[in-house]
Amino acid sequence: MRRPFIAGNWKMNLDRAAAVDLARELIKQLGDADAVDVAVCPPSVYLDAVADVVKGTCVGLGAQNMYYEKNGAFTGEISGSMLADVGCKYVILGHSERRRILGETNEDVCRKVHVAFATGLIPIVCVGETLQEREAGKTFHIVREQVYGSLAGLKAEQAGELVIAYEPVWAIGTGVVASPEQAEEVHADLRNALEARFGGVLAAKLRLQYGGSVKASNAKELLAKENIDGALVGGAALKASDFVPIIEAARP
């Protein structure tokens, strides 16, 4: 049985004091959270502060992005080794906002995935279609294209800890959520795509998250689906009172 994994993407929100307070409140409310893996992904400038709070607790630390070079003259970028150095376990890669706003390609994401594994980080690789692509019947094609492109050249033995987050672009931050049936349909096809790429044993092991306006009111129904193993949560991760019920909904 795949262990549920709930991650909070704080995006470009909060200040230092609020980030620290949120991390402390999460730990206080969660207790041991022994049946669910939990992570928070603060803005990079607050990673160090939040790392001090979550160290040794049930809450893991993740970053929202990284660069694909180890070091060098890349002003404004952050390397995987730097993230590992401040205590990160996870890194979100290929989020639709970075693909759409900043022009990241599957090739960019793929380079980052390889470097993440090389530096001991677990990548949370995001895939998902736009509303126009869904209406054109291209959902499965787009998601598979992103998965295959973002994981190109990755060996099965490397991919054991990989996490994939399906986030339909039309549901991110809009208040619109894919129905549990719509989400499960894509997750099932995604697992089939992973089986074709890495084999059935690994595909059955890899965790697939859903993201896109996840909240306490819809989490239980989404997480009950066979191929949905967790959630990548945006807005609802910014308050412990909203985020903790989603984590509770993931408990087996």
Side-chain angles (χ1 to χ4, degrees), residues 204-227:
K205 174 185 175 183
L206 293 183
R207 294 185 291 185
L208 308 181
Q209 296 177 319
Y210 172 76
S213 298
V214 178
K215 45 199 171 188
S217 61
N218 58 36
K220 192 72 175 179
E221 195 174 2
L222 285 163
L223 294 168
K225 293 300 182 181
E226 179 182 355
N227 288 290

Side-chain angles (χ1 to χ4, degrees), residues 5-249:
F5 178 29
I6 307 295
N9 178 11
W10 295 356
K11 304 190 180 184
M12 197 173 73
N13 293 295
L14 308 177
D15 58 22
R16 184 184 182 90
V20 168
D21 287 346
L22 176 54
R24 286 175 175 159
E25 186 61 26
L26 279 174
I27 293 165
K28 178 182 177 181
Q29 292 192 27
L30 281 176
D32 56 13
D34 58 347
V36 182
D37 284 342
V38 179
V40 294
C41 303
S44 59
V45 291
Y46 304 138
L47 282 169
D48 216 7
V50 174
D52 287 341
V53 178
V54 303
K55 185 177 181 179
T57 75
C58 66
V59 178
L61 185 69
Q64 298 177 18
N65 183 45
M66 56 169 273
Y67 198 52
Y68 46 67
E69 296 289 354
K70 293 181 179 179
N71 52 56
F74 304 104
T75 300
E77 296 294 344
I78 299 173
S79 71
S81 59
M82 291 174 179
L83 296 179
D85 190 40
V86 297
C88 285
K89 180 177 181 179
Y90 307 97
V91 59
I92 299 171
L93 299 176
H95 193 282
S96 66
E97 290 159 358
R98 297 198 59 84
R99 292 179 187 261
R100 176 172 51 87
I101 300 171
L102 298 172
E104 287 193 0
T105 65
N106 290 331
E107 290 74 18
D108 293 330
V109 178
C110 183
R111 293 179 72 179
K112 293 179 182 184
V113 167
H114 283 268
V115 174
F117 277 120
T119 51
L121 297 170
I122 298 174
I124 301 172
V125 180
C126 300
V127 298
E129 83 285 11
T130 65
L131 181 60
Q132 292 78 11
E133 289 164 343
R134 171 165 280 273
E135 291 178 339
K138 296 181 178 179
T139 294
F140 296 152
H141 170 75
I142 293 296
V143 170
R144 283 187 174 231
E145 182 181 64
Q146 290 177 346
V147 168
Y148 290 147
S150 299
L151 305 183
L154 199 67
K155 297 179 180 178
E157 55 266 28
Q158 293 177 296
E161 298 298 319
L162 184 70
V163 178
I164 305 287
Y166 167 60
E167 294 196 306
V169 179
W170 46 273
I172 298 174
T174 63
V176 177
V177 62
S179 71
E181 292 72 27
Q182 287 174 318
E184 171 62 13
E185 184 180 39
V186 179
H187 279 75
D189 188 72
L190 178 51
R191 201 172 298 282
N192 288 336
L194 291 166
E195 181 175 356
R197 174 68 176 81
F198 295 114
V201 174
L202 185 62
K205 174 185 175 183
L206 293 183
R207 294 185 291 185
L208 308 181
Q209 296 177 319
Y210 172 76
S213 298
V214 178
K215 45 199 171 188
S217 61
N218 58 36
K220 192 72 175 179
E221 195 174 2
L222 285 163
L223 294 168
K225 293 300 182 181
E226 179 182 355
N227 288 290
I228 301 178
D229 309 312
L232 182 57
V233 184
L238 296 175
K239 292 182 180 180
S241 58
D242 294 332
F243 192 44
V244 170
I246 296 173
I247 298 167
E248 294 297 332

